[in-house]
Amino acid sequence: MKKAIAALAVIILSVTIILAACSSPKSEFMSSFRGMAKNKQYTAVYTLKPITMAGFDTLAFLNPDALAKSSLTMKTSRDLTRDLTYNTYGLHVGGVPTMDITAHSFENGNTGKIYVPVADLYQTPNTVTNTLDLATDSVFSRVLADNKDLKNRHLDVLQALQNITNRVIDEKTVDEQSSQLRAIEQKTAFALYKKINSLDKSHYKTQDRNITLTLDKKELAELSNAWLEGFQTNKDFIALYAEVSGLTETEAKKTWLTTDKKAQETLKELITNADIKLGMTITMHPDADKGVRKLAMSVNYEDTSKKQKLNFDFTMELLHYEQIPTPPDPTQIITKKELDKLITDIIREQRKTK
């Protein structure tokens, strides 16, 4: 089961990168994505909605009816000129009682900084607060009550990671890694573009001005392989992988080759296993102004021998641009001293419950 999930994750990531990179083998498909790429400012909503998830032992605790009524969304406003992004995350859990969690973040692409408003923690619904208190022996509520002075401030995620890991993550390193990530995206997207460009035109259907692309498991696995192989000679990826993993570049390359080999073996097994059915349908709704108005991706996985099923929909919808709120200034950021106190409070409250 773990191999099947890993293979499916690679496939989904592969196709997502293709779409995010605005690549397509056919002229109308490509033209629409190019139009989307020209937007210097845009607001998009991404939604992941599970339909069916059955037969997986590790997920047996999930309520199938509640799952079908749940969804995960991310609304993003992006200003490419200023390299600023504002995200709103939403998790809706169905069933009784329902649960809704909302969070926000600012991202500064120039510095790599990510800020999250502390106010989100104080505005959680009662069902969420009660669940968190139950999981933490009420530490969650007590720590918030003792630190109300931080309610209208923002947390520097990078700084918080430095405090937790005791590892200095300076802005220069973050900037280098951001550049490496952009280079990785461009190179792998181009490799995937070449692969998907070789698909026969019969994969594309036009209906009511919408374009549908259908891929079977062999084609999805081949796309995933093309994506994986692109990393082997990608110097930016190896350098980033080595730094994040704490390895030398030689060690990182060797480790990645082993990982890549295992992944490709899993994908090969996926193709040859007649009991496994996997398909993906992508429907694009072109737009004269935005390039793409909406993109819907439906994934269907089934292993008949294990009686496993996994179906979900992923959609992206471009909206009219919504202005990014004013990012927090230095006076609104929690200082290292305040963060140290907050962590100390959490540790102290945890000890009280033991």
Side-chain angles (χ1 to χ4, degrees):
M1 183 194 75
K2 290 182 179 179
K3 287 185 177 181
I5 292 177
L8 185 58
V10 169
I11 287 167
I12 294 166
L13 183 56
S14 300
V15 177
T16 301
I17 288 176
I18 295 170
L19 299 178
C22 309
S23 302
S24 168
K26 305 305 171 185
S27 59
E28 189 174 358
F29 215 66
M30 183 186 297
S31 176
S32 297
F33 278 115
R34 281 179 175 171
M36 182 177 68
K38 292 178 181 179
N39 295 318
K40 296 299 181 183
Q41 293 179 322
Y42 66 86
T43 296
V45 176
Y46 306 89
T47 303
L48 177 64
K49 183 170 179 54
I51 308 300
T52 305
M53 195 177 293
F56 300 96
D57 294 338
T58 55
L59 303 174
F61 66 94
L62 293 174
N63 182 328
D65 294 331
L67 183 69
K69 297 176 182 176
S70 302
S71 61
L72 177 66
T73 62
M74 183 177 77
K75 186 177 183 179
T76 297
S77 282
R78 184 89 167 92
D79 186 332
L80 295 174
T81 304
R82 295 190 295 162
D83 207 357
L84 290 176
T85 304
Y86 182 68
N87 299 311
T88 300
Y89 310 92
L91 172 63
H92 174 72
V93 180
V96 180
T98 58
M99 186 182 298
D100 290 281
I101 301 174
T102 303
H104 305 83
S105 71
F106 287 94
E107 295 179 25
N108 188 320
N110 292 317
T111 64
K113 293 284 190 179
I114 301 174
Y115 302 110
V116 296
V118 178
D120 285 346
L121 297 174
Y122 287 87
Q123 295 171 0
T124 56
N126 289 334
T127 52
V128 177
T129 301
N130 293 337
T131 300
L132 291 172
D133 277 344
L134 187 63
T136 62
D137 290 327
S138 297
V139 170
F140 176 74
S141 287
R142 289 202 297 270
V143 170
L144 288 183
D146 292 341
N147 292 274
K148 289 184 177 179
D149 54 319
L150 303 180
K151 184 176 181 179
N152 295 317
R153 307 281 288 284
H154 286 74
L155 183 68
D156 182 332
V157 174
L158 197 62
Q159 185 185 69
L161 287 174
Q162 289 180 175
N163 271 45
I164 295 170
T165 62
N166 289 320
R167 180 184 174 189
V168 176
I169 310 174
D170 56 85
E171 289 190 14
K172 182 180 178 181
T173 300
V174 172
D175 184 58
E176 289 176 354
Q177 291 182 352
S178 295
S179 298
Q180 289 169 337
L181 282 171
R182 283 193 289 270
I184 291 168
E185 289 172 0
Q186 291 172 354
K187 292 175 184 176
T188 53
F190 181 69
L192 287 169
Y193 165 74
K194 289 197 299 182
K195 189 66 181 177
I196 203 169
N197 193 41
S198 66
L199 290 173
D200 186 85
K201 62 181 181 180
S202 62
H203 290 79
Y204 293 82
K205 303 293 181 185
T206 302
Q207 184 176 4
D208 298 328
R209 296 185 178 181
N210 299 324
I211 306 169
T212 299
L213 168 62
T214 303
L215 301 170
D216 60 27
K217 71 174 181 179
K218 184 175 182 293
E219 293 154 348
L220 289 169
E222 288 174 350
L223 285 171
S224 300
N225 271 327
W227 175 69
L228 289 167
E229 289 170 358
F231 289 110
Q232 293 182 18
T233 56
N234 193 322
K235 294 181 180 179
D236 290 293
F237 170 75
I238 296 299
L240 180 62
Y241 183 51
E243 190 171 341
V244 172
S245 305
L247 304 171
T248 65
E249 290 195 15
T250 300
E251 291 171 335
K253 189 171 184 178
K254 184 177 180 181
T255 302
W256 176 255
L257 285 173
T258 302
T259 302
D260 179 41
K261 184 179 179 181
K262 290 180 180 178
Q264 295 205 28
E265 288 174 352
T266 300
L267 290 169
K268 185 177 180 180
E269 182 183 331
L270 177 72
I271 294 174
T272 57
N273 191 335
D275 293 326
I276 296 178
K277 300 176 182 178
L278 176 64
M280 180 183 293
T281 301
I282 302 168
T283 303
M284 186 194 63
H285 307 257
D287 183 89
D289 298 321
K290 305 183 187 75
V292 175
R293 177 174 61 84
K294 184 178 180 181
L295 183 142
M297 180 166 62
S298 178
V299 178
N300 299 289
Y301 168 87
E302 182 179 7
D303 187 334
T304 54
S305 65
K306 297 179 181 179
K307 297 182 179 179
Q308 294 176 342
K309 279 189 176 183
L310 176 62
N311 312 113
F312 64 86
D313 292 338
F314 173 80
T315 61
M316 178 195 73
E317 185 173 4
L318 262 69
L319 310 176
H320 292 297
Y321 176 66
E322 295 182 12
Q323 193 69 34
I324 295 176
T326 303
D329 61 48
T331 64
Q332 297 172 306
I333 307 300
I334 294 176
T335 65
K336 185 180 186 306
K337 183 178 179 180
E338 292 169 327
L339 185 57
D340 287 339
K341 178 185 176 300
L342 183 61
I343 293 173
T344 300
D345 287 350
I346 293 172
I347 294 172
R348 186 182 66 247
E349 292 295 337
Q350 286 176 330
R351 287 174 178 171
K352 285 182 181 179
T353 62
K354 293 181 180 180

